[in-house]
Amino acid sequence: MTEPAETPKPNLAKGIPIGNLADGQILQGKVGDEEAILVRRGAEFFAVGAYCTHYHGPLAEGLATGDTVRCPWHHACFDLRSGQAVRAPALDPISCWKTEVVGETVFVREKVAAPVAKRTPRKAPHSVVIVGGGAAGLAAAEMLRREGYDGSLQILSADDAPPCDRPNLSKDYLAGNAQEDWIPLRPPNFYTDQRIELRLNSRVAALDTQKKQVALENGKTLDFDALLIATGADPVRLEIPGAETAQVHYLRSFADSKAIIARAEKSRQVVVVGASFIGLEVAASLRTRGLEVHVVALDGEPLERVMGPEVGRFVRSVHEDRGVKFHLGETVVRLDGSEVTLKGGTKLAADFLVIGAGVRPALGLAEKAGLAIDKGISVNEYLETSAAGVFAAGDVAHWPDPHTGERIRVEHWVVAERQGQTAARNILGYREPFDAVPFFWSQHYDIAISYTGHAECWDRIAVDGRLEEKNCAVEYQRGGKRLAVATIGRDLENLRAEAAMESGHAGAVRMGSSI
Ligand SMILES: Cc1cc2nc3c(=O)[nH]c(=O)nc-3n(C[C@H](O)[C@H](O)[C@H](O)COP(=O)(O)OP(=O)(O)OC[C@H]3O[C@@H](n4cnc5c(N)ncnc54)[C@H](O)[C@@H]3O)c2cc1C
Ligand code: FES
C-alpha cells in the first residue's frame, strides 16, 4: 500500500481568501521555506511559526484564544502579535510575520523582529536570590530578565547540574531515546549572557527573613532584597531490610537518571517499587531498554488515587502488553543479594530496585525560618509567603486556587514554571494573581495522558470514548461540577477544557458512561 500523498501547504505570502478562514480557525502553510500558521481572530489575521519551541508541538492542532495560540501537547501559550512565549513550558518565542488584508485576501508579509518586550519594572529590587535550580527557579530568573529586571540575580542550587528538563529524566532520556544535550533547559552561555549567577552545589542551610540573608551550607552568607523559594520536593525514601545503598535508586535529578542508566546497562531485571507516574514511566523506559520489569505497589490499580480505577486498569494493561509484571497490593519486605521478597511471600529476582514512592515538598528551610506552613509553604494569590518580599513557587507552594476555591499544592512541571513566571512579575511589583488551571502530562510508551484541572476527590467519573481505542476524555466531577479532565488522543479537547475552566465555566458536564 502506498502512503497517501501529503496535501501541499498553501503559500501564505501569495494570499488566502479571507472567506476561507473562520474566526479561531488555524491554517497551516508556508512563508518562503518556513512553516507558518495563519490564524483569524475576529477581523484580524495573525501569522506565526507552526511549531512550539518546547518540543516542536504542531500549533496548527492547537487552540486560538484571545490573542494567543496554545500548543496541543503541553499547553504552552504564544502571543499571536509578537510570537512571545507568554506561558510555560515554552520559554522561547516563535517567528511572527506581518499580515495585510487587500480586498478579500489576506497576505503574509515580512517577518516581525524577535520580541524584546522589556518594560521598566514597577519595582526594582537591588538583588534577587532564587533558592532552587529547577523548573520554577529557572522560569523565574528567565522572566525577571525578560521583564527588564537589571539588578543582581542569583540562583542557588543544591544540584550539581544546571536546571534540567526533569520530566524527560523518566521518559525518553531514561529509555535511551534522547541525547544528553537535550536535558539542560538552557545552554551554559545563557546564564552569562543574561547575567544570572548560577551557583551549583550550593545548598542553602538557613534563611533569615528579617535580616534578608541566606546562609549557605559552606558557611557563606548572601544578602537579598527579594527572595524566591523554589526548592521542589525530595523522593520519599523507604527502608528495605537487607538492601545495600548501591542497589536502591531514586529518581529526581539528572545524576539520578544517569545512575539508573549506568545500572540498567549492565542489568537484566529490575523491580520498580511504586505504581505512580514516576514508577510507571521508569518501568516503561527500562522495558524499552529490554530489561525484565516487575512493578510492586500497595495500590489496587496504578494511578488509581489520581485518575480512578478505570484509567488505572487501562494504563496497567498498556504496560502488561509490553511485558511489565505487576504485583499489586504488595510491598517489598526484604532484599537479599538479588532476591526480593514481597510481603505475600513471592520472590523476585532483581539486579537493582528503583523506588517511586512519591515525594515530599522540601520545606525545611521555610519551616526553620518561621514561614507559615500548611501542607506546603503558604502563599497568597501573588505567591508571596507570610514574610514580605519572600515568594515561593513550584512543588513547595500551597496556594489559593481560584478554580476549586481551595488551597492546593501540586507537583506538576508546567505549574512550577508558570508559578516561577508569576512570582518573577510580582517580585517586580505587578501584583499578578496566580490563576492558571493546573495541567500535567504523563507518557507511557506511545500513549500521552493530558490532565487539566484538579480533583482530589470526586463523586462521579464520566468517560466519553474508549480508553482501549486511545481516544477518550475522562471527566472527574463533584456535586455536578467538572473538576478535571484527563484525555488520551484528544489534545484539542483538553485545551478547550482548560480555556473553559479559566473563564470560570466548568463547561458542560459530560454524561458519558459513568464509573
Ligand atoms: C523524573 C521526573 C519526571 C517528571 N515528569 C513530569 C511530567 O511528565 N509532568 C509533570 O507535570 N511533572 C513531572 N514531574 C514533576 C516536575 O518535575 C516537578 O513538579 C517540578 O520539577 C517542580 O519544580 P520545582 O522548581 O518546584 O522543583 P525542582 O524542579 O525539583 O527544583 C528544585 C530545586 O531546588 C534545589 N534545592 C532544594 N533544596 C535546596 C536548598 N536547600 N538549597 C539550594 N537548592 C535547593 C534542588 O537541588 C533543585 O535544583 C516529574 C518529576 C520527576 C522527578
Ligand atoms: S511541545 Fe508545545 S508545550 Fe510541549
Side-chain angles (χ1 to χ4, degrees):
M1 247 174 62
T2 48
E3 291 287 320
E6 211 183 307
T7 328
K9 300 200 170 75
N11 183 341
L12 303 178
K14 288 200 167 161
I16 301 291
I18 59 176
N20 288 5
L21 267 189
D23 188 16
Q25 198 180 328
I26 305 176
L27 174 74
Q28 183 153 359
K30 288 201 132 196
V31 186
D33 291 338
E34 280 187 70
E35 292 200 40
I37 54 170
L38 182 64
V39 186
R40 180 176 191 160
R41 300 300 292 144
E44 287 189 282
F45 294 85
F46 302 98
V48 291
Y51 295 99
C52 175
T53 51
H54 178 230
Y55 266 102
H56 212 63
L59 297 177
E61 294 166 29
L63 180 71
T65 49
D67 293 352
T68 67
V69 60
R70 298 180 190 205
C71 175
W73 286 359
H74 317 109
H75 294 201
C77 185
F78 296 91
D79 185 349
L80 287 168
R81 293 181 190 281
S82 65
Q84 183 94 253
V86 286
R87 284 198 203 178
L91 301 174
D92 294 316
I94 49 178
S95 299
C96 185
W97 288 265
K98 283 191 177 150
T99 62
E100 188 186 6
V101 175
V102 181
E104 291 301 306
T105 307
V106 55
F107 294 88
V108 174
R109 303 295 196 200
E110 72 276 16
K111 222 178 219 183
V112 175
V116 270
K118 287 194 175 178
R119 43 185 176 174
T120 307
R122 280 204 194 149
K123 196 168 131 185
H126 303 303
S127 60
V128 179
V129 168
I130 296 172
V131 187
L138 188 268
E142 197 269 347
M143 187 53 77
L144 281 162
R145 287 298 188 228
R146 221 200 286 180
E147 286 283 359
Y149 173 65
D150 212 26
S152 154
L153 177 51
Q154 300 190 49
I155 300 179
L156 309 175
S157 174
D159 287 348
D160 61 0
C164 73
D165 186 352
R166 220 174 283 290
N168 207 321
L169 300 179
S170 53
K171 301 179 182 70
D172 283 345
Y173 182 67
L174 189 60
N177 299 329
Q179 292 151 24
E180 192 155 331
D181 61 3
W182 294 12
I183 301 304
L185 288 174
R186 290 298 197 200
N189 63 333
F190 167 82
Y191 300 96
T192 28
D193 292 352
Q194 296 291 317
R195 292 177 300 106
I196 297 169
E197 196 182 330
L198 172 64
R199 294 195 184 194
L200 300 176
N201 297 307
S202 298
R203 184 170 284 278
V204 174
L207 58 100
D208 187 327
T209 58
Q210 297 293 315
K211 288 193 193 152
K212 296 203 154 192
Q213 268 186 348
V214 294
L216 296 173
E217 255 181 9
N218 66 13
K220 290 197 177 126
T221 57
L222 296 169
D223 296 330
F224 63 82
D225 203 5
L227 181 80
L228 175 65
I229 306 174
T231 43
D234 299 312
V236 172
R237 310 240 153 206
L238 299 183
E239 272 300 316
I240 298 183
E244 287 169 29
T245 318
Q247 286 177 289
V248 180
H249 290 255
Y250 292 86
L251 178 51
R252 185 77 192 177
S253 64
F254 197 5
D256 294 338
S257 190
K258 285 185 193 168
I260 296 174
I261 291 169
R263 192 69 197 224
E265 279 170 350
K266 49 184 190 198
S267 301
R268 282 194 313 111
Q269 41 216 355
V270 60
V271 165
V272 175
V273 181
S276 63
F277 292 104
I278 290 186
L280 292 179
E281 289 185 353
V282 168
S285 295
L286 295 183
R287 193 69 203 113
T288 304
R289 281 182 178 267
L291 273 75
E292 185 181 303
V293 179
H294 290 263
V295 173
V296 176
L298 277 170
D299 317 62
E301 285 295 351
L303 310 179
E304 191 174 0
R305 267 169 297 154
V306 183
M307 304 204 120
E310 188 78 357
V311 176
R313 265 195 296 282
F314 167 68
V315 172
R316 173 162 58 83
S317 73
V318 167
H319 284 265
E320 284 173 340
D321 288 348
R322 267 42 177 219
V324 173
K325 308 264 184 342
F326 282 86
H327 305 269
L328 297 171
E330 270 289 11
T331 176
V332 172
V333 288
R334 200 164 170 84
L335 179 62
D336 295 293
S338 57
E339 186 181 80
V340 175
T341 306
L342 306 189
K343 197 169 176 200
T346 304
K347 309 262 188 209
L348 301 172
D351 298 312
F352 68 107
L353 272 66
V354 181
I355 315 275
V359 295
R360 284 200 191 95
L363 304 176
L365 275 182
E367 274 167 349
K368 272 200 283 173
L371 297 179
I373 304 279
D374 170 21
K375 299 180 190 137
I377 303 176
S378 297
V379 291
N380 62 16
E381 66 268 48
Y382 308 111
L383 304 178
E384 195 164 20
T385 69
S386 53
V390 177
F391 294 78
D395 286 3
V396 288
H398 191 231
W399 86 95
D401 171 38
H403 307 286
T404 52
E406 292 162 10
R407 299 186 67 85
I408 63 171
R409 189 187 70 75
V410 301
E411 290 145 12
H412 305 348
W413 180 258
V414 169
V415 173
E417 289 193 318
R418 290 182 181 175
Q419 287 192 340
Q421 295 179 323
T422 299
R425 290 197 197 94
N426 290 335
I427 284 170
L428 301 181
Y430 288 106
R431 303 291 280 174
E432 174 185 300
F434 181 76
D435 57 5
V437 173
F439 167 79
F440 74 84
W441 80 98
S442 182
Q443 186 82 32
H444 304 262
Y445 313 94
D446 57 343
I447 296 173
I449 306 176
S450 299
Y451 181 104
T452 295
H454 184 77
E456 277 174 30
C457 53
W458 52 80
D459 54 29
R460 184 166 185 269
I461 295 178
V463 182
D464 183 60
R466 289 175 62 79
L467 283 154
E468 317 77 67
E469 286 169 10
K470 299 167 198 161
N471 178 357
C472 65
V474 182
E475 241 181 57
Y476 303 84
Q477 304 168 1
R478 193 168 65 219
K481 185 182 171 199
R482 171 166 76 173
L483 299 177
V485 180
T487 58
I488 297 174
R490 293 192 187 180
D491 290 338
L492 187 56
E493 187 167 340
N494 205 288
L495 280 174
R496 287 201 173 111
E498 178 185 64
M501 288 185 210
E502 269 169 20
S503 61
H505 302 295
V509 169
R510 194 186 296 284
M511 296 322 285
S513 60
S514 234
I515 301 171

